[in-house]
Amino acid sequence: MATQQASKLTLDLRVERFPYHQPFRISGHVFTETALLVAEISDGTHVGRGEGAGVYYLGDDIDHMLAEAARVRDDIERGATREELQKLLPPGGARNALDCAFWDLEAKQAGRPVWALAGLEQPRALRSTLTLGADSAENMAKAALAIDPEAPIKVKLTGDLADDIARIEAIRTARPDAWIGVDANQGYDVRTLADLLPVLVSARVAQLEQPLRRGREADLDGLKRPLPFAADESALSFVDTAALVGRFDIVNIKLDKCGGLTEGLAIARQAKKLGLDVMVGNMMGTSLSMAPSYLVGQLCDIVDLDGPTFLARDRVPGVEYRGGMIHCPAEIWGS
């Protein structure tokens, strides 16, 4: 429940950039850094922090996030609550940063952790996928052997059918017993998808994420799904959730898409009511992004919170990855 602030608030906004240790390739894009909007909301005694990475395919870049957050500065400093924020800004990276900063501030004001304020049980370590960026089949097989052998593997595809088949087969050969999911990032159409699906089944791939472009969801009507389909770009916010039923089996919640922990928790609970499985993902933020997503992960069937593993540096303290699990110390955020 949102808490009405008793004293005047101040909002600090800044941009922080975190380079990757190597370029990261997905369908149609290559990334070399993450530019983050960091928001700090203070009541003069306590400071709440949050960060947003935005949604690149929606034009929600750092300039857009900064402008959106600045647009509501006066409202926040006049005492707008987290609940009111949901109406002041649309879903996106700016609202995510501000929403999470509000949660962090509320926890410090109340002397209770965010998980308790949100009605969750005490967080537990979560099994999280580690992602392989698109590369040659040989290099991806080597990368699959180099990562934590206990971690599930998420494989980025490019939409080039022959290359993607080679990638999948090479990784399965290298890691015969691993859980493998693949992410097409909108790279396929119904024709090429029909050729891809038998390969996924043969390679014992556990799920296929976002095969078609956002807006082409109706092309999935009547299509037999021989493995679970997960919606990512097709599931931006709460309003998209109900339309997934019958076309997808899983909804991938990312706080930068839906605009923060408040809506992320609402989507997870609604999806469960609709009979959908729930996944939590990330837009390559630091551990400050992973911490609130980790709370959503407590409600999820699949967890993909490996963003900091791609960064040349992370925040300190940061999340820890060991034994196929992500561990999120309480002191990172929301304690």
Side-chain angles (χ1 to χ4, degrees):
M1 179 179 295
T3 302
Q4 180 67 47
Q5 313 301 333
S7 57
K8 180 176 174 62
L9 301 179
T10 57
L11 171 62
D12 178 70
L13 301 170
R14 63 180 182 274
V15 176
E16 297 185 5
R17 297 179 183 274
F18 287 78
Y20 296 173
H21 53 75
Q22 63 184 35
F24 179 71
R25 182 185 175 202
I26 67 171
S27 178
H29 297 275
V30 177
F31 301 97
T32 58
E33 71 167 13
T34 292
L36 300 168
L37 172 66
V38 178
E40 293 185 349
I41 302 175
S42 173
D43 64 4
T45 302
H46 309 93
V47 179
R49 295 187 306 148
E51 81 178 22
V55 187
Y56 66 91
Y57 52 84
L58 298 177
D60 188 26
D61 59 13
I62 191 63
D63 291 336
H64 181 260
M65 287 189 287
L66 190 60
E68 285 286 274
R71 181 165 63 84
V72 297
R73 180 193 297 275
D74 288 347
D75 298 280
I76 290 171
E77 294 188 341
R78 284 196 297 263
T81 64
R82 174 171 53 82
E83 183 178 43
E84 292 166 341
L85 176 67
Q86 312 309 308
K87 298 178 181 178
L88 289 171
L89 282 180
R95 198 177 81 186
N96 179 28
L98 294 169
D99 181 80
C100 291
F102 266 120
W103 275 106
D104 192 32
L105 177 62
E106 290 168 27
K108 291 170 179 173
Q109 290 173 328
R112 299 176 64 205
V114 169
W115 62 262
L117 297 180
L120 300 171
E121 296 183 359
Q122 185 166 356
R124 68 194 189 282
L126 300 169
R127 188 163 300 281
S128 176
T129 63
L130 295 179
T131 303
L132 303 181
D135 201 337
S136 69
E138 180 183 6
N139 286 344
M140 293 182 78
K142 290 178 180 178
L145 289 170
I147 62 175
D148 183 344
E150 298 182 55
I153 300 173
K154 178 173 173 177
V155 178
K156 289 291 189 178
L157 306 181
T158 64
D160 184 304
L161 182 63
D163 286 348
D164 284 342
I165 289 173
R167 292 176 176 116
I168 294 161
E169 291 177 342
I171 293 166
R172 175 51 78 200
T173 298
R175 293 290 306 276
D177 298 322
W179 183 101
I180 296 175
V182 300
D183 185 0
N185 283 116
Q186 310 183 80
Y188 280 78
D189 57 34
V190 288
R191 179 185 58 81
T192 53
L193 178 60
D195 293 326
L196 177 68
L197 290 176
V199 178
L200 301 184
V201 172
S202 177
R204 293 178 286 115
V205 170
Q207 71 175 46
L208 168 61
E209 190 174 342
Q210 196 64 43
L212 308 185
R213 295 192 64 81
R214 176 174 172 82
R216 303 296 305 187
E217 292 82 8
D219 292 350
L220 297 173
D221 290 345
L223 178 70
K224 182 179 180 180
R225 301 189 298 277
L227 73 165
F229 284 15
D232 182 1
E233 289 89 343
S234 289
L236 301 181
S237 63
F238 186 90
V239 298
D240 291 327
T241 310
L244 303 177
V245 176
R247 295 171 175 170
F248 295 91
D249 308 281
I250 305 162
V251 54
N252 186 352
I253 300 168
K254 295 179 180 176
L255 300 192
D256 279 297
K257 292 190 303 181
C258 69
L261 179 61
T262 301
E263 186 153 331
L265 291 171
I267 295 171
R269 289 163 173 151
Q270 175 68 1
K272 290 289 189 181
K273 291 179 182 177
L274 293 170
L276 295 167
D277 284 342
V278 186
M279 175 179 181
V280 63
N282 70 99
M283 297 299 288
M284 306 289 276
T286 72
S287 288
L288 184 56
S289 287
M290 300 309 111
S293 297
Y294 185 78
L295 297 187
V296 177
Q298 304 300 311
L299 303 177
C300 289
D301 307 280
I302 302 145
V303 174
D304 174 32
L305 295 180
D306 62 348
T309 67
F310 293 91
L311 304 180
R313 59 182 174 85
D314 190 15
R315 301 187 188 278
V316 178
V319 296
E320 301 170 11
Y321 301 90
R322 61 180 187 273
M325 312 287 280
I326 179 174
H327 304 256
C328 186
E331 58 267 26
I332 293 175
W333 175 89
S335 64

